[in-house]
Amino acid sequence: METRRNRENSTTLTAGGSGITEPAGSRGRTSIADLVVVKVAGMAAREIPGVYDMGGGLARTIGAVRDRVPGGRPNVGRGVKVEVGERQTAIDIDLVVEYGVPITDVARDVRENIIEAVERTTGLEVVEVNVVVNDVHLPDEAPEHQAGEARVG
């Protein structure tokens, strides 16, 4: 399988050639945008118990405002940055964890879940997932989301 980078911030995975001599499944190219990797990684991180929110303080504040706008959708990729190469990707993620959870365990579980989800979904090899825990949500802190909204995790 050949892989190459194009100008639209995506990776093109080429499975084969073209023409009637090629099997149907390998005729043409498949391109995966960087945004796809961001969203898959974001969703995978949010599945882990102990993850309260994602992103730095400013990103979370802007995200909370945008989430309240009618018709607005939550940004599942908030706090996720990716670098996508020819066959590999590296991912950086900023998290807020719940108070009392073992941070190293949450970081490990997030890392493992992201790697499994991105590799399974995109076919790219994840060479590293760097987790930055930049805040802890305390039980007595007011939630950043509206009452009744589901929290991350």
Side-chain angles (χ1 to χ4, degrees), residues 77-129:
R78 180 174 61 227
V80 180
K81 296 179 189 100
V82 301
E83 291 181 30
V84 181
E86 290 184 9
R87 293 182 179 91
Q88 300 173 325
T89 185
I91 301 167
D92 296 327
I93 186 161
D94 294 336
L95 300 177
V96 177
V97 299
E98 295 279 357
Y99 173 78
V101 300
I103 293 174
T104 55
D105 292 351
V106 171
R108 181 196 63 235
D109 293 346
V110 164
R111 187 173 291 112
E112 289 174 353
N113 207 39
I114 287 174
I115 290 170
E116 193 277 326
V118 170
E119 288 184 343
R120 176 180 35 82
T121 304
T122 67
L124 295 167
E125 176 189 359
V126 179
V127 294
E128 65 181 7
V129 176

Short mmCIF file of all heavy atoms in Angstrom, two decimals, residues 77-129:
data_model
loop_
_atom_site.label_atom_id
_atom_site.label_comp_id
_atom_site.label_asym_id
_atom_site.label_seq_id
_atom_site.Cartn_x
_atom_site.Cartn_y
_atom_site.Cartn_z
N GLY A 77 -13.30 17.34 18.62
CA GLY A 77 -11.85 17.40 18.45
C GLY A 77 -11.17 18.48 19.27
O GLY A 77 -9.96 18.68 19.15
N ARG A 78 -11.93 19.16 20.14
CA ARG A 78 -11.34 20.21 20.96
C ARG A 78 -10.22 19.61 21.81
O ARG A 78 -10.39 18.58 22.45
CB ARG A 78 -12.41 20.84 21.85
CG ARG A 78 -11.85 21.95 22.73
CD ARG A 78 -12.91 22.69 23.52
NE ARG A 78 -13.62 21.79 24.41
CZ ARG A 78 -14.94 21.74 24.53
NH1 ARG A 78 -15.70 22.51 23.80
NH2 ARG A 78 -15.50 20.92 25.38
N GLY A 79 -9.06 20.26 21.79
CA GLY A 79 -7.94 19.78 22.58
C GLY A 79 -7.10 18.72 21.90
O GLY A 79 -6.17 18.19 22.50
N VAL A 80 -7.40 18.41 20.63
CA VAL A 80 -6.65 17.38 19.90
C VAL A 80 -5.89 18.04 18.75
O VAL A 80 -6.47 18.80 17.98
CB VAL A 80 -7.58 16.29 19.34
CG1 VAL A 80 -6.78 15.23 18.59
CG2 VAL A 80 -8.42 15.66 20.43
N LYS A 81 -4.61 17.74 18.65
CA LYS A 81 -3.79 18.19 17.52
C LYS A 81 -3.14 16.96 16.92
O LYS A 81 -2.71 16.07 17.64
CB LYS A 81 -2.72 19.17 18.00
CG LYS A 81 -3.28 20.45 18.57
CD LYS A 81 -2.15 21.36 19.04
CE LYS A 81 -2.72 22.51 19.80
NZ LYS A 81 -2.65 22.33 21.24
N VAL A 82 -3.05 16.92 15.59
CA VAL A 82 -2.44 15.77 14.93
C VAL A 82 -1.42 16.23 13.91
O VAL A 82 -1.51 17.32 13.37
CB VAL A 82 -3.49 14.87 14.22
CG1 VAL A 82 -4.51 14.35 15.20
CG2 VAL A 82 -4.16 15.58 13.09
N GLU A 83 -0.44 15.39 13.69
CA GLU A 83 0.49 15.51 12.57
C GLU A 83 0.38 14.21 11.81
O GLU A 83 0.57 13.13 12.38
CB GLU A 83 1.92 15.70 13.06
CG GLU A 83 2.17 17.03 13.74
CD GLU A 83 3.62 17.16 14.18
OE1 GLU A 83 4.51 16.58 13.53
OE2 GLU A 83 3.83 17.84 15.19
N VAL A 84 0.03 14.32 10.53
CA VAL A 84 -0.16 13.13 9.72
C VAL A 84 0.90 13.11 8.64
O VAL A 84 1.06 14.07 7.89
CB VAL A 84 -1.58 13.10 9.10
CG1 VAL A 84 -1.77 11.84 8.28
CG2 VAL A 84 -2.64 13.18 10.18
N GLY A 85 1.63 12.01 8.59
CA GLY A 85 2.64 11.83 7.56
C GLY A 85 2.16 10.88 6.49
O GLY A 85 0.96 10.73 6.28
N GLU A 86 3.09 10.23 5.83
CA GLU A 86 2.73 9.34 4.73
C GLU A 86 1.97 8.11 5.21
O GLU A 86 0.98 7.71 4.62
CB GLU A 86 3.98 8.92 3.98
CG GLU A 86 4.59 10.05 3.19
CD GLU A 86 5.77 9.61 2.37
OE1 GLU A 86 6.01 8.38 2.27
OE2 GLU A 86 6.44 10.47 1.83
N ARG A 87 2.46 7.48 6.27
CA ARG A 87 1.82 6.26 6.78
C ARG A 87 1.57 6.31 8.27
O ARG A 87 1.04 5.37 8.84
CB ARG A 87 2.70 5.04 6.47
CG ARG A 87 2.81 4.73 5.02
CD ARG A 87 3.66 3.48 4.80
NE ARG A 87 3.75 3.19 3.39
CZ ARG A 87 4.70 3.63 2.59
NH1 ARG A 87 5.65 4.40 3.07
NH2 ARG A 87 4.71 3.33 1.31
N GLN A 88 1.99 7.40 8.90
CA GLN A 88 1.95 7.47 10.35
C GLN A 88 1.32 8.78 10.81
O GLN A 88 1.25 9.75 10.05
CB GLN A 88 3.37 7.39 10.92
CG GLN A 88 4.08 6.10 10.56
CD GLN A 88 5.53 6.13 11.01
OE1 GLN A 88 6.18 7.17 10.99
NE2 GLN A 88 6.03 4.97 11.42
N THR A 89 0.90 8.78 12.06
CA THR A 89 0.37 9.99 12.66
C THR A 89 0.84 10.09 14.11
O THR A 89 1.08 9.08 14.76
CB THR A 89 -1.18 10.03 12.58
OG1 THR A 89 -1.64 11.29 13.08
CG2 THR A 89 -1.82 8.91 13.36
N ALA A 90 0.99 11.32 14.57
CA ALA A 90 1.29 11.60 15.97
C ALA A 90 0.18 12.50 16.49
O ALA A 90 -0.32 13.37 15.78
CB ALA A 90 2.64 12.30 16.10
N ILE A 91 -0.21 12.26 17.73
CA ILE A 91 -1.38 12.95 18.29
C ILE A 91 -1.02 13.56 19.64
O ILE A 91 -0.39 12.92 20.47
CB ILE A 91 -2.55 11.95 18.45
CG1 ILE A 91 -2.91 11.35 17.09
CG2 ILE A 91 -3.76 12.62 19.11
CD1 ILE A 91 -3.82 10.15 17.14
N ASP A 92 -1.44 14.83 19.84
CA ASP A 92 -1.31 15.51 21.12
C ASP A 92 -2.72 15.80 21.61
O ASP A 92 -3.58 16.25 20.84
CB ASP A 92 -0.55 16.84 20.98
CG ASP A 92 0.88 16.64 20.53
OD1 ASP A 92 1.49 15.62 20.90
OD2 ASP A 92 1.40 17.52 19.82
N ILE A 93 -2.97 15.56 22.90
CA ILE A 93 -4.31 15.78 23.44
C ILE A 93 -4.22 16.42 24.82
O ILE A 93 -3.37 16.04 25.63
CB ILE A 93 -5.10 14.45 23.48
CG1 ILE A 93 -6.53 14.70 23.91
CG2 ILE A 93 -4.43 13.41 24.33
CD1 ILE A 93 -7.47 13.57 23.54
N ASP A 94 -5.06 17.43 25.06
CA ASP A 94 -5.15 18.12 26.34
C ASP A 94 -6.41 17.67 27.06
O ASP A 94 -7.50 17.71 26.48
CB ASP A 94 -5.21 19.64 26.15
CG ASP A 94 -3.93 20.22 25.57
OD1 ASP A 94 -2.87 19.59 25.74
OD2 ASP A 94 -3.99 21.30 24.96
N LEU A 95 -6.27 17.27 28.31
CA LEU A 95 -7.39 16.73 29.08
C LEU A 95 -7.61 17.46 30.40
O LEU A 95 -6.67 17.99 30.98
CB LEU A 95 -7.15 15.26 29.43
CG LEU A 95 -6.97 14.25 28.31
CD1 LEU A 95 -6.67 12.89 28.91
CD2 LEU A 95 -8.18 14.21 27.43
N VAL A 96 -8.85 17.39 30.86
CA VAL A 96 -9.21 17.72 32.23
C VAL A 96 -9.74 16.41 32.81
O VAL A 96 -10.61 15.78 32.20
CB VAL A 96 -10.31 18.80 32.29
CG1 VAL A 96 -10.71 19.06 33.73
CG2 VAL A 96 -9.83 20.08 31.61
N VAL A 97 -9.20 16.00 33.95
CA VAL A 97 -9.64 14.74 34.56
C VAL A 97 -10.44 15.01 35.82
O VAL A 97 -10.34 16.08 36.42
CB VAL A 97 -8.44 13.80 34.87
CG1 VAL A 97 -7.69 13.43 33.61
CG2 VAL A 97 -7.51 14.44 35.88
N GLU A 98 -11.23 14.04 36.19
CA GLU A 98 -12.01 14.11 37.43
C GLU A 98 -11.05 14.01 38.62
O GLU A 98 -10.08 13.24 38.58
CB GLU A 98 -13.00 12.94 37.51
CG GLU A 98 -14.08 12.96 36.47
CD GLU A 98 -15.22 13.90 36.82
OE1 GLU A 98 -15.22 14.50 37.91
OE2 GLU A 98 -16.12 14.02 35.98
N TYR A 99 -11.36 14.74 39.68
CA TYR A 99 -10.57 14.64 40.91
C TYR A 99 -10.70 13.22 41.48
O TYR A 99 -11.77 12.63 41.48
CB TYR A 99 -11.07 15.64 41.95
CG TYR A 99 -10.40 15.45 43.29
CD1 TYR A 99 -9.12 15.91 43.51
CD2 TYR A 99 -11.06 14.78 44.31
CE1 TYR A 99 -8.49 15.72 44.73
CE2 TYR A 99 -10.45 14.58 45.53
CZ TYR A 99 -9.16 15.05 45.73
OH TYR A 99 -8.54 14.85 46.94
N GLY A 100 -9.58 12.67 41.91
CA GLY A 100 -9.59 11.37 42.58
C GLY A 100 -9.24 10.20 41.68
O GLY A 100 -8.97 9.12 42.18
N VAL A 101 -9.26 10.40 40.37
CA VAL A 101 -8.90 9.30 39.49
C VAL A 101 -7.38 9.26 39.36
O VAL A 101 -6.72 10.29 39.40
CB VAL A 101 -9.56 9.41 38.08
CG1 VAL A 101 -11.06 9.41 38.18
CG2 VAL A 101 -9.06 10.63 37.34
N PRO A 102 -6.80 8.08 39.21
CA PRO A 102 -5.35 7.98 39.00
C PRO A 102 -5.00 8.54 37.62
O PRO A 102 -5.34 7.94 36.59
CB PRO A 102 -5.05 6.49 39.08
CG PRO A 102 -6.29 5.85 39.64
CD PRO A 102 -7.42 6.77 39.36
N ILE A 103 -4.36 9.68 37.59
CA ILE A 103 -4.09 10.39 36.33
C ILE A 103 -3.28 9.53 35.37
O ILE A 103 -3.56 9.49 34.18
CB ILE A 103 -3.41 11.74 36.61
CG1 ILE A 103 -4.41 12.66 37.32
CG2 ILE A 103 -2.90 12.38 35.32
CD1 ILE A 103 -3.83 13.97 37.78
N THR A 104 -2.28 8.84 35.88
CA THR A 104 -1.45 8.03 34.98
C THR A 104 -2.26 6.89 34.35
O THR A 104 -2.04 6.54 33.20
CB THR A 104 -0.22 7.46 35.71
OG1 THR A 104 -0.64 6.73 36.86
CG2 THR A 104 0.73 8.57 36.11
N ASP A 105 -3.22 6.34 35.10
CA ASP A 105 -4.07 5.28 34.55
C ASP A 105 -5.00 5.84 33.47
O ASP A 105 -5.20 5.22 32.42
CB ASP A 105 -4.91 4.62 35.64
CG ASP A 105 -4.08 3.80 36.62
OD1 ASP A 105 -2.86 3.60 36.36
OD2 ASP A 105 -4.63 3.38 37.66
N VAL A 106 -5.59 7.03 33.73
CA VAL A 106 -6.46 7.65 32.74
C VAL A 106 -5.66 7.97 31.48
O VAL A 106 -6.11 7.68 30.37
CB VAL A 106 -7.14 8.92 33.30
CG1 VAL A 106 -7.86 9.68 32.20
CG2 VAL A 106 -8.09 8.57 34.43
N ALA A 107 -4.47 8.53 31.64
CA ALA A 107 -3.63 8.86 30.48
C ALA A 107 -3.29 7.61 29.67
O ALA A 107 -3.35 7.62 28.43
CB ALA A 107 -2.36 9.57 30.94
N ARG A 108 -2.95 6.52 30.36
CA ARG A 108 -2.64 5.27 29.67
C ARG A 108 -3.85 4.75 28.91
O ARG A 108 -3.75 4.36 27.75
CB ARG A 108 -2.15 4.21 30.67
CG ARG A 108 -1.78 2.88 29.99
CD ARG A 108 -1.68 1.72 30.98
NE ARG A 108 -3.00 1.50 31.59
CZ ARG A 108 -3.22 1.49 32.91
NH1 ARG A 108 -2.24 1.67 33.76
NH2 ARG A 108 -4.43 1.29 33.38
N ASP A 109 -5.02 4.76 29.56
CA ASP A 109 -6.24 4.27 28.92
C ASP A 109 -6.63 5.13 27.72
O ASP A 109 -7.06 4.61 26.69
CB ASP A 109 -7.39 4.22 29.92
CG ASP A 109 -7.17 3.18 31.03
OD1 ASP A 109 -6.26 2.32 30.88
OD2 ASP A 109 -7.90 3.24 32.03
N VAL A 110 -6.47 6.45 27.85
CA VAL A 110 -6.75 7.35 26.73
C VAL A 110 -5.81 7.04 25.57
O VAL A 110 -6.24 6.91 24.42
CB VAL A 110 -6.62 8.83 27.18
CG1 VAL A 110 -6.53 9.76 25.97
CG2 VAL A 110 -7.79 9.23 28.07
N ARG A 111 -4.54 6.91 25.88
CA ARG A 111 -3.53 6.63 24.85
C ARG A 111 -3.87 5.32 24.12
O ARG A 111 -3.88 5.27 22.89
CB ARG A 111 -2.16 6.54 25.52
CG ARG A 111 -0.99 6.42 24.57
CD ARG A 111 0.34 6.51 25.31
NE ARG A 111 0.57 7.85 25.82
CZ ARG A 111 0.58 8.18 27.11
NH1 ARG A 111 0.40 7.27 28.05
NH2 ARG A 111 0.80 9.42 27.49
N GLU A 112 -4.15 4.26 24.88
CA GLU A 112 -4.45 2.97 24.27
C GLU A 112 -5.72 3.03 23.41
O GLU A 112 -5.76 2.47 22.32
CB GLU A 112 -4.60 1.89 25.35
CG GLU A 112 -3.30 1.52 26.01
CD GLU A 112 -3.48 0.56 27.19
OE1 GLU A 112 -4.65 0.28 27.58
OE2 GLU A 112 -2.46 0.10 27.73
N ASN A 113 -6.75 3.70 23.90
CA ASN A 113 -8.02 3.77 23.17
C ASN A 113 -7.87 4.58 21.89
O ASN A 113 -8.43 4.23 20.85
CB ASN A 113 -9.13 4.35 24.06
CG ASN A 113 -10.49 3.85 23.65
OD1 ASN A 113 -10.67 2.69 23.30
ND2 ASN A 113 -11.47 4.74 23.70
N ILE A 114 -7.11 5.67 21.95
CA ILE A 114 -6.89 6.49 20.76
C ILE A 114 -6.12 5.69 19.72
O ILE A 114 -6.48 5.67 18.54
CB ILE A 114 -6.15 7.80 21.12
CG1 ILE A 114 -7.08 8.76 21.84
CG2 ILE A 114 -5.58 8.45 19.86
CD1 ILE A 114 -6.41 10.01 22.36
N ILE A 115 -5.05 5.03 20.13
CA ILE A 115 -4.24 4.26 19.19
C ILE A 115 -5.09 3.19 18.51
O ILE A 115 -5.08 3.05 17.29
CB ILE A 115 -3.00 3.65 19.88
CG1 ILE A 115 -2.03 4.77 20.25
CG2 ILE A 115 -2.34 2.60 18.99
CD1 ILE A 115 -0.88 4.32 21.15
N GLU A 116 -5.86 2.46 19.29
CA GLU A 116 -6.68 1.38 18.72
C GLU A 116 -7.72 1.95 17.75
O GLU A 116 -7.89 1.45 16.64
CB GLU A 116 -7.37 0.61 19.86
CG GLU A 116 -8.00 -0.70 19.43
CD GLU A 116 -9.38 -0.53 18.84
OE1 GLU A 116 -10.13 0.36 19.28
OE2 GLU A 116 -9.72 -1.29 17.91
N ALA A 117 -8.38 3.02 18.14
CA ALA A 117 -9.45 3.59 17.29
C ALA A 117 -8.89 4.19 16.01
O ALA A 117 -9.44 3.97 14.92
CB ALA A 117 -10.23 4.65 18.08
N VAL A 118 -7.82 4.95 16.11
CA VAL A 118 -7.26 5.61 14.91
C VAL A 118 -6.67 4.58 13.96
O VAL A 118 -6.91 4.64 12.74
CB VAL A 118 -6.22 6.68 15.31
CG1 VAL A 118 -5.45 7.18 14.09
CG2 VAL A 118 -6.90 7.85 16.02
N GLU A 119 -5.93 3.61 14.47
CA GLU A 119 -5.34 2.60 13.59
C GLU A 119 -6.41 1.75 12.93
O GLU A 119 -6.34 1.46 11.74
CB GLU A 119 -4.33 1.73 14.36
CG GLU A 119 -3.07 2.49 14.69
CD GLU A 119 -1.99 1.66 15.37
OE1 GLU A 119 -2.29 0.57 15.89
OE2 GLU A 119 -0.84 2.11 15.38
N ARG A 120 -7.43 1.37 13.69
CA ARG A 120 -8.51 0.54 13.13
C ARG A 120 -9.32 1.33 12.08
O ARG A 120 -9.65 0.81 11.03
CB ARG A 120 -9.44 0.06 14.25
CG ARG A 120 -10.64 -0.73 13.77
CD ARG A 120 -11.54 -1.19 14.91
NE ARG A 120 -11.67 -0.29 16.04
CZ ARG A 120 -12.50 0.76 16.08
NH1 ARG A 120 -13.28 1.03 15.06
NH2 ARG A 120 -12.57 1.52 17.15
N THR A 121 -9.61 2.58 12.38
CA THR A 121 -10.48 3.37 11.52
C THR A 121 -9.77 3.89 10.28
O THR A 121 -10.34 3.89 9.19
CB THR A 121 -11.06 4.57 12.31
OG1 THR A 121 -11.72 4.06 13.46
CG2 THR A 121 -12.04 5.35 11.48
N THR A 122 -8.51 4.35 10.43
CA THR A 122 -7.83 5.01 9.31
C THR A 122 -6.79 4.16 8.61
O THR A 122 -6.42 4.45 7.48
CB THR A 122 -7.12 6.29 9.79
OG1 THR A 122 -6.04 5.94 10.66
CG2 THR A 122 -8.10 7.23 10.48
N GLY A 123 -6.26 3.16 9.30
CA GLY A 123 -5.17 2.38 8.72
C GLY A 123 -3.81 3.02 8.91
O GLY A 123 -2.80 2.46 8.51
N LEU A 124 -3.76 4.21 9.51
CA LEU A 124 -2.49 4.86 9.79
C LEU A 124 -1.87 4.28 11.05
O LEU A 124 -2.59 3.90 11.98
CB LEU A 124 -2.70 6.37 9.99
CG LEU A 124 -3.19 7.16 8.79
CD1 LEU A 124 -3.64 8.55 9.23
CD2 LEU A 124 -2.08 7.26 7.75
N GLU A 125 -0.56 4.23 11.11
CA GLU A 125 0.14 3.79 12.31
C GLU A 125 0.28 5.00 13.24
O GLU A 125 0.76 6.05 12.83
CB GLU A 125 1.52 3.25 11.98
CG GLU A 125 2.32 2.87 13.20
CD GLU A 125 3.77 2.54 12.88
OE1 GLU A 125 4.17 2.59 11.70
OE2 GLU A 125 4.51 2.24 13.84
N VAL A 126 -0.15 4.86 14.48
CA VAL A 126 0.00 5.93 15.47
C VAL A 126 1.34 5.73 16.16
O VAL A 126 1.53 4.74 16.87
CB VAL A 126 -1.16 5.92 16.49
CG1 VAL A 126 -0.96 7.02 17.52
CG2 VAL A 126 -2.50 6.06 15.78
N VAL A 127 2.26 6.66 15.95
CA VAL A 127 3.60 6.51 16.51
C VAL A 127 3.68 7.02 17.94
O VAL A 127 4.51 6.54 18.72
CB VAL A 127 4.68 7.19 15.65
CG1 VAL A 127 4.80 6.49 14.31
CG2 VAL A 127 4.41 8.66 15.46
N GLU A 128 2.83 7.99 18.30
CA GLU A 128 2.81 8.47 19.68
C GLU A 128 1.52 9.23 19.95
O GLU A 128 0.91 9.80 19.05
CB GLU A 128 4.01 9.37 20.00
CG GLU A 128 4.04 10.67 19.23
CD GLU A 128 5.25 11.52 19.57
OE1 GLU A 128 6.15 11.04 20.32
OE2 GLU A 128 5.31 12.66 19.10
N VAL A 129 1.10 9.17 21.21
CA VAL A 129 -0.01 9.97 21.70
C VAL A 129 0.50 10.66 22.96
O VAL A 129 0.76 10.01 23.97
CB VAL A 129 -1.25 9.11 22.02
CG1 VAL A 129 -2.36 9.98 22.62
CG2 VAL A 129 -1.77 8.40 20.77
#
